[in-house]
Amino acid sequence: MAQLWGGRFTKETDQLVYNFNASISFDQKFYKQDIKGSIAHATMLGETGIITKEESDKIIEGLKGILSDVEEGKLEISPKYEDIHSFVEATLIDRIGDTGKKLHTGRSRNDQVALDMKLYTRDEVVAIKELLKELMTTLHNLMKENLDTYMPGFTHLQKAQPVTFAHHVGAYMEMFKRDFDRLSDIYDRMNYCPLGAGALAGTTYPLDRKLTADLLDFYGPTLNSMDSVSDRDYVIELLSALSTICMHLSRFSEEIIIWNSNEYQFIELDDSYSTGSSIMPQKKNPDIAELVRGKTGRVYGALVSILTTMKGIPLAYNKDMQEDKELTFDAIDTVKGCIALFNGMISTMRLNKENMKVSAMKGFTNATDAADYLVKNGVPFRDAHGIIGQLVLYCIDNNKAIEELSLEELQKISPVFKDDIYDAISLKTCVEKRNTIGAPGPEAMKQVIKINEEFLKNI
């Protein structure tokens, strides 16, 4: 059992206790961050004269060699060490001798692990933002290509009013823009360096914490050493943001599943993003969409878990906080996979535009516009509402869309109807006359697309 403590103890740690306490099985994931942080710490120790420049250089060279060997597969991270910090430091001492023992001067594992987790999380925030940008670019292209692809808009899963596929996809574009901004906010809030906080009360060594922060591209050092080692707000915020991303992906997945059904047939998923049935040869299943929907609960679980873990922890560091890593690593990997696969699925799916248009026509999505037509021709709105209700009942009984009725049939219900009713309630008219910003009309949509182009260009 290789550990960096023990002088206080007269007995070996029980193996079961050691295994339960150890974290190397999962915290080895941030070996790069641990070595990067140690290089910055050694650089600062040399610059401030806490150790000599020669010692600092020797430590840095040794750390770079460890990083290179791990990445090239020449050095295996051994499970005999308690954690990644122990592995790196012990390996350094083995390689460069007693000079390596000076690396931990002015540092505790508490501020070291806080740093590693921040560095790792910060890197992953950047990676997730890039995946979101790729997804938003796909949505943006779908919007530009489908300004006149008519489909029903829904409320209560009932056909409501006609929109375009561009407008429908644009709703998700807005959601993912907010997700992107949330990640940017989290990055800015978390980007302060805890290294130098020590175990909880700083150190008597004359550390230059600003230099360390600068070397690691932080905005500056954290301002309270107790908070520095016990803060996991950024993990909670990230898991909350990831849960929201998953919620948005899950809602979109639900619609993909519905649109892919035999009843709707709005879309056809590419073979590469579908699976078949082992018994029913006709099946083409939207497994990716279903898995994204399912994995959302997994990410929610990580958020609830860390909130529950943190709720009763007094200041400062407690071992409970080791539980932040596995669930965060899993949630990050899950969300990255979901975004990438969802993007591939929607970028390769085929739209059945005629089916979407017919569905909008058959669903009486132009009923509101028919009522508006009557109002514009002098009928009080409440009366117009009742007339159109009768009209819809007649259409249902006769299996027709409103626009399929003859003028004679229309006028039996209200003599106010004239020949111009057909133009007034066409899908094209219903959509194109709605041009307030945020509406599905082409002029409004073009404004939004221009705004989105600027957004994508500047992130």
Side-chain angles (χ1 to χ4, degrees), residues 32-44 63 107 111-112 114-120 122-123 126 187 190-196 208-221:
K32 288 181 188 176
Q33 288 79 15
D34 193 76
I35 294 173
K36 181 178 179 180
S38 290
I39 289 173
H41 185 65
T43 302
M44 180 275 298
L63 289 168
R107 186 174 72 170
D111 60 340
Q112 188 178 0
L115 173 70
D116 289 2
M117 192 62 180
K118 265 199 177 180
L119 288 173
Y120 182 85
R122 189 178 70 174
D123 289 344
V126 172
Y187 185 102
M190 71 177 286
N191 199 34
Y192 291 88
C193 184
L195 196 57
D208 186 342
R209 292 193 64 210
K210 185 179 183 307
L211 172 60
T212 309
D214 289 343
L215 290 169
L216 293 169
D217 295 319
F218 285 103
Y219 298 152

Side-chain angles (χ1 to χ4, degrees), residues 18 23 33 36 49 99 133 211 308 358 388 421 423 456 458:
Y18 180 83
S23 59
Q33 288 79 15
K36 181 178 179 180
T99 301
K133 182 177 180 180
L211 172 60
T308 306
V358 169
I388 299 305
I421 179 61
D423 180 61
L456 291 170
N458 293 320

Side-chain angles (χ1 to χ4, degrees), residues 30 50 73-74 120 122 140 146 149 215 229 261 267 283 301 329 342 385 395 402 423 437:
F30 47 50
I50 296 171
K74 297 176 182 176
Y120 182 85
R122 189 178 70 174
H140 181 61
N146 290 282
T149 301
L215 290 169
V229 297
S261 67
I267 62 167
K283 296 292 293 298
F329 296 159
F342 189 89
H385 191 279
C395 288
I402 296 174
D423 180 61
I437 190 70

Side-chain angles (χ1 to χ4, degrees), residues 21-64:
N21 190 59
S23 59
I24 195 162
S25 64
F26 50 85
D27 70 15
Q28 63 178 280
K29 198 174 183 80
F30 47 50
Y31 71 89
K32 288 181 188 176
Q33 288 79 15
D34 193 76
I35 294 173
K36 181 178 179 180
S38 290
I39 289 173
H41 185 65
T43 302
M44 180 275 298
L45 291 175
E47 290 292 327
T48 54
I50 296 171
I51 63 176
T52 68
K53 190 71 168 56
E54 291 73 24
E55 289 171 327
S56 172
D57 290 343
K58 189 174 183 181
I59 289 170
I60 292 168
E61 184 181 357
L63 289 168
K64 287 180 177 178

